[in-house]
Amino acid sequence: MSAVPLRNARVAASGVRSVSVLGATGSIGDSTMDLLRASPERYQVEALTANTNVAGLAKLAKEFNARFVAVADPARLSELRAALAGTDIACGAGEGAIVEAAERPADWVMAAVAGAAGLKPALAAVDRGAHVALANKECLVCAGEFFMDRAAKAGATILPADSEHNALFQALASGNRDELTKVIITASGGPFRTWAAADIEQATLAQALKHPNWSMGQKITIDSASMMNKGLEVIEASWLFALSPDEIDVVVHPQSIIHGMVEFSDRSVVAQLGSPDMRTPIAHCLGWPDRIVGRAAPLDLAKIGTLTFEAPDYARFPGLKLAYDALRAGNGATTVYNAANEIAVAAFIAQRIRFGAIARLVEETMNSWIRAGNLAPLSCADDAIAVDHNARDMAAALLPQIAAKAS
Ligand code: NDP
């Protein structure tokens, strides 16, 4: 299995880097554009994409003089054309247009579409051998093996943009693979870290969206509150760095200052620290293999004073344990885990299920999937996409009974 390089194979960075940002109007997109804005002489924007936010996309396209922009919603093409009138920016709409954006000849692509919808465009960037900064963890959770294999075959460089994985990427450069004993991913614990199980069960959307440290998109913020996000990250780390589930630990660290650590055979633990601001890992990806000037506040440890750590509580946050179960089961189980979670989060946002039912729907979908004999080796990304679709259908079918059941 292929993994990202542990030691940086340093190559000279050329003058101007052409970049595309998939999911430019989202939270990661916003942080990426902020960094690009700070160094206009270093970057040329090739393509930008959004789902439905035509106004935001057109504004960015004009500001950065992008060559091509695309919205996923096919019904918004005429609106996009009108918003770009008087410019020579080419545009498209629909899923194919998002893939086309990824296929355009940018050296560096930020993959920051939310959810499994980001898989096909990210694969398109991978297949042409680009440097792909990967924020969209669902790509790896759905189809990690094929994603990493296709990257290796095409000579693409996957740069982990998720803060924990970027921390591991940096710390791993301190040793060799055979010297590594385990990696440790930190988790803030989210807004419900200290809540009783009964209160977590009844948590509202507004409460779930109040993350103590990070400002992020809606889906990942809810995933952080359920700790499903940490589960997705365990799976992501497994594919990125070719690690077994036993080599990946999670520790709750409420201050979110240490993002990831690597323990080596001599018991040295190498950590990466920084203010909880996604612009730091994105800057690392954007500059790689060099370093650029960051935009996050400098870390002031004396002001922070105390860093604390706790073991994760699988009873109150069962979604994290389910991720390990899915990883061990293999054969498409992580794809099912992700698909069921996306259905559950959408149902929670629509107030169809309680917060506590998110993990129950994921568990029930995984169990039903296994009971039905559906676990089977996947042979390509299209297999993973088919599992994703079928698992969504199964989760949607199970939703009414999960919604009706008391905890
Ligand atoms: P947001 O919801 O803030 O933004 C998502 C972006 O993707 C928007 O540009 C949105 O367009 C676009 N989009 C949504 N659905 C589709 C679709 N079906 N097809 C094409 N484009 C679509 O998400 P985040 O920026 O928070 O997260 C993006 C990814 O990065 C996720 O996978 C997340 O897990 C990961 N990530 C995020 C972190 C963060 O701090 N936010 C940290 C680490 C990882 P529109 O604006 O039109 O809706």
Side-chain angles (χ1 to χ4, degrees):
M1 191 178 74
S2 313
V4 297
L6 297 198
R7 286 186 189 278
N8 294 353
R10 292 181 77 90
V11 290
S14 63
V16 176
R17 185 170 244 188
S18 61
V19 304
S20 291
V21 183
L22 312 176
T25 50
S27 166
I28 291 286
D30 195 43
S31 295
T32 308
M33 302 318 286
D34 183 68
L35 286 157
L36 298 179
R37 192 174 283 121
S39 303
E41 71 294 348
R42 288 183 69 124
Y43 304 105
Q44 159 66 47
V45 173
E46 177 66 33
L48 300 173
T49 77
N51 188 21
T52 56
N53 183 353
V54 166
L57 183 65
K59 189 164 179 260
L60 288 172
K62 288 179 196 166
E63 178 189 352
F64 288 90
N65 197 20
R67 296 193 166 123
F68 179 77
V69 295
V71 277
D73 182 353
R76 295 187 191 244
L77 183 57
S78 52
E79 193 186 335
L80 182 58
R81 281 202 182 115
L84 294 172
T87 74
D88 58 0
I89 302 167
C91 65
E95 201 183 284
I98 306 290
V99 171
E100 186 185 339
E103 286 170 345
R104 307 248 334 177
D107 308 318
W108 187 97
V109 178
M110 167 53 78
V113 168
L119 177 59
K120 280 189 192 165
L123 278 172
V126 158
D127 284 343
R128 60 177 186 77
H131 282 50
V132 179
L134 190 65
N136 179 280
K137 58 194 84 185
E138 293 89 346
C139 285
L140 291 175
V141 178
C142 277
E145 185 177 357
F146 316 112
F147 194 90
M148 296 307 289
D149 281 353
R150 275 166 71 164
K153 278 196 190 100
T157 302
I158 306 297
L159 301 167
D162 211 347
S163 57
E164 296 77 0
H165 305 77
N166 184 268
L168 298 181
F169 183 43
Q170 297 196 43
L172 282 163
S174 297
N176 292 317
R177 177 65 181 89
D178 61 356
E179 296 158 350
L180 175 155
T181 49
K182 67 176 175 183
V183 304
I184 304 154
I185 300 175
T186 59
S188 69
F192 308 143
R193 179 176 64 88
T194 58
W195 286 31
D199 297 331
I200 296 175
E201 171 67 28
Q202 307 289 350
T204 64
L205 178 59
Q207 289 167 329
L209 288 175
K210 264 198 204 126
H211 197 282
N213 305 337
W214 295 95
S215 158
M216 308 182 286
Q218 191 178 52
K219 156 81 169 40
I220 186 173
T221 305
I222 295 168
D223 286 345
S224 297
S226 64
M227 290 195 76
M228 285 284 179
N229 181 50
K230 216 42 59 181
L232 295 170
E233 288 178 3
V234 167
I235 301 166
E236 181 185 9
S238 155
W239 289 115
L240 273 175
F241 306 114
L243 299 167
S244 73
D246 295 334
E247 290 175 314
I248 309 167
D249 274 2
V250 172
V251 68
V252 176
H253 165 46
Q255 297 80 19
S256 298
I257 297 299
I258 299 177
H259 304 296
M261 297 172 254
V262 179
E263 184 195 79
F264 292 100
S265 50
D266 59 5
R267 299 286 182 245
S268 289
V269 177
V270 180
Q272 185 264 354
L273 289 74
S275 305
D277 185 326
M278 283 307 294
R279 290 176 299 181
T280 300
I282 296 170
H284 181 255
C285 295
L286 201 47
W288 195 88
D290 300 323
R291 290 200 185 253
I292 60 172
V293 177
R295 302 268 296 154
L299 188 60
D300 185 344
L301 284 174
K303 196 167 161 198
I304 294 161
T306 310
L307 300 182
T308 59
F309 305 92
E310 301 160 15
D313 182 342
Y314 291 138
R316 286 184 304 128
F317 298 99
L320 178 55
K321 159 90 172 37
L322 291 172
Y324 279 100
D325 294 345
L327 201 46
R328 290 196 170 97
N331 296 314
T334 63
T335 316
V336 176
Y337 172 86
N338 179 66
N341 183 50
E342 287 195 24
I343 295 292
V345 171
F348 172 66
I349 292 170
Q351 304 192 336
R352 293 185 61 198
I353 58 171
R354 279 189 241 148
F355 186 80
I358 294 176
R360 286 198 291 283
L361 181 62
V362 173
E363 182 170 22
E364 192 46 46
T365 308
M366 282 170 56
N367 288 343
S368 301
W369 187 266
I370 293 166
R371 273 199 305 272
N374 288 331
L375 276 191
L378 310 182
S379 57
C380 60
D382 284 340
D383 279 4
I385 291 168
V387 169
D388 175 68
H389 287 296
N390 294 336
R392 277 166 201 273
D393 290 346
M394 185 178 265
L398 289 166
L399 190 64
Q401 79 189 54
I402 293 289
K405 226 191 261 177
S407 64

